Amino acid sequence: MRRSWMVATVLVAGVGAVPAQAAAAEPATRFGVIATTQGRAKDDAATYQALYEEQRTRYGGPIGIRLFSAGRLPLPGDGTMPGTLLTWAAATHPDEAITLSHKTRDEARLPALLDWARDHRVRLSLIYFHEVQDNWFKHRDARADPAVYLDIYRSYRRIIQAHRARSLITLEKNLMWYWQHYNAAKLGGDWRAFVEKKNDPADVVSWDTYAFPGMPTALGRYATPDEFFRYPRDVWRETGRPWAIGEIGSTVQDGVGPGAEKAWDPDGAKFVAWVRAMTAAASKPAGIGPAYQGVPAARFMKWWAGHDRNGSDQSLDQVPAAVAAYRGSVAAARL
């Protein structure tokens, strides 16, 4: 999801053979919820904390903590909003895994962040330049150049592997489903520009998979699991990298509010069915169809719990039955 400053957390014929790893050996999918200060919420640490606590209560326990920096890696106590939230998270919610994104190369601060994770026994997932395709192929941000991006991940992997906190750290790449589905063929930015075919340094490749306003109406339905998961499936088949859903959400098409263009789901029943279908497919991809046989479960799925920057609600909160359906998944396998 596009943002300026905010804090938050399948096979076509002809693709190569399935990698050797067995799906049965993969960990179960962990389901989480992303508290966010994007949209209508005030963007400060206190508001984020309040929104997180609200969602944690709603889902009955750990949901994951997602922090975002538009620049360098934040450090606890550095005066930045994510730095403040790192300190808060370790002190008040040591059971949580923290996903931390940033957009400026920062080997200098990485060892200090790893020291902190080791000292506080904090589980961290680190992302450099989340949703990277748009930033290079549309905006030509030099920090998102594929050659630069790949080199940074190799460098970060070397630092992590040499550190005593390495068992607590996940190195995550994050790609944009919308760009891949609608823009890659004509504008560039295919996922293969950002994921190495052999020995990619990332532990997992996650995808942000929003049914943005206009998409459900144009389709006359919510997206199918195959439409959303075919790209992570192909990443796994071609590179062996585990897959995950870093962000997912949709506006309910009830004809009311921003992004709701047509009232074909006024009671949210189709939305609830979609939530159930997506969570089931993430945890058991073989159920999508024959093209997914052998594909391991997603490492995690994180539902966006709020409004986007245009004020369109993307959360499960739009329909109480959707919250109830997802709550069971969160409780079964926590982040």
Side-chain angles (χ1 to χ4, degrees):
M1 181 171 287
R2 298 291 302 147
R3 47 181 72 78
S4 55
W5 166 259
M6 69 136 236
V7 178
T9 198
V10 192
L11 172 68
V12 187
V15 176
V18 176
Q21 65 264 50
E26 295 292 322
T29 304
R30 297 165 296 158
F31 293 93
V33 181
I34 300 173
T36 169
T37 54
Q38 184 168 317
R40 298 176 180 175
K42 185 178 179 181
D43 189 21
D44 60 24
T47 302
Y48 176 84
Q49 291 168 16
L51 292 171
Y52 163 83
E53 299 293 357
E54 178 183 319
Q55 292 295 331
R56 182 175 169 121
T57 299
R58 181 167 292 140
Y59 289 93
I63 56 173
I65 291 175
R66 176 79 164 81
L67 306 177
F68 178 83
S69 168
R72 299 177 66 187
L73 277 169
L75 291 175
D78 67 1
T80 66
M81 181 173 166
T84 298
L85 291 170
L86 284 171
T87 301
W88 160 78
T92 61
H93 296 292
D95 54 349
E96 284 286 26
I98 301 172
T99 301
L100 182 58
S101 298
H102 66 294
K103 288 191 172 183
T104 298
R105 184 173 193 155
D106 204 352
E107 284 96 334
R109 286 192 176 198
L110 181 54
L113 182 64
L114 299 179
D115 287 344
W116 174 82
R118 179 201 62 204
D119 293 343
H120 292 81
R121 303 302 299 170
V122 171
R123 292 171 294 145
L124 286 178
S125 189
L126 299 179
I127 299 173
Y128 174 75
F129 236 109
H130 122 280
E131 293 186 355
V132 66
Q133 293 124 301
D134 176 83
N135 289 277
W136 173 246
F137 285 89
K138 183 177 181 180
H139 299 289
R140 293 296 173 178
D141 187 325
R143 299 174 299 172
D145 182 315
V148 172
Y149 179 90
L150 295 173
D151 184 62
I152 289 170
Y153 270 91
R154 295 184 201 114
S155 177
Y156 281 15
R157 169 53 63 198
R158 288 191 292 269
I159 293 171
I160 292 169
Q161 284 303 109
H163 198 280
R164 288 179 291 174
R166 59 184 175 272
S167 64
L168 297 169
I169 310 302
T170 298
L171 189 57
E172 179 181 343
K173 289 184 174 180
N174 175 265
L175 300 174
M176 189 178 185
W177 176 88
Y178 188 91
W179 184 275
Q180 184 68 40
H181 199 69
Y182 289 103
N183 296 334
K186 58 185 178 183
L187 299 178
D190 181 80
W191 65 262
R192 293 168 184 84
F194 300 98
V195 183
E196 301 188 57
K197 189 159 188 175
K198 293 184 178 180
N199 301 317
D200 190 276
D203 295 300
V204 63
V205 178
S206 67
W207 291 78
D208 289 358
T209 52
Y210 289 94
F212 285 113
M215 282 173 47
T217 293
L219 293 171
R221 56 176 172 77
Y222 295 103
T224 66
D226 173 64
E227 285 168 327
F228 269 171
F229 296 168
R230 64 183 62 170
Y231 307 118
R233 175 207 60 195
D234 290 350
V235 171
W236 179 77
R237 287 192 179 276
E238 294 189 32
T239 73
R241 289 301 86 197
W243 68 286
I245 301 303
E247 298 178 14
I248 185 170
S250 179
T251 296
V252 175
Q253 297 300 301
D254 59 1
V256 178
E261 300 164 351
K262 189 175 180 179
W264 51 262
D265 188 18
D267 62 359
K270 294 183 178 68
F271 179 75
V272 176
W274 183 64
V275 171
R276 292 184 183 278
M278 297 302 287
T279 54
S283 58
K284 295 182 179 178
I288 300 172
Y292 291 81
Q293 297 304 309
V295 178
R299 288 290 178 88
F300 51 80
M301 173 181 277
K302 303 174 185 178
W303 219 280
W304 185 262
H307 295 74
D308 64 18
R309 64 176 181 172
N310 297 315
S312 179
D313 194 350
Q314 301 287 319
S315 73
L316 297 167
D317 298 358
Q318 299 168 90
V319 184
V323 173
Y326 195 70
R327 184 186 295 119
S329 296
V330 174
R334 298 207 182 280
L335 283 164

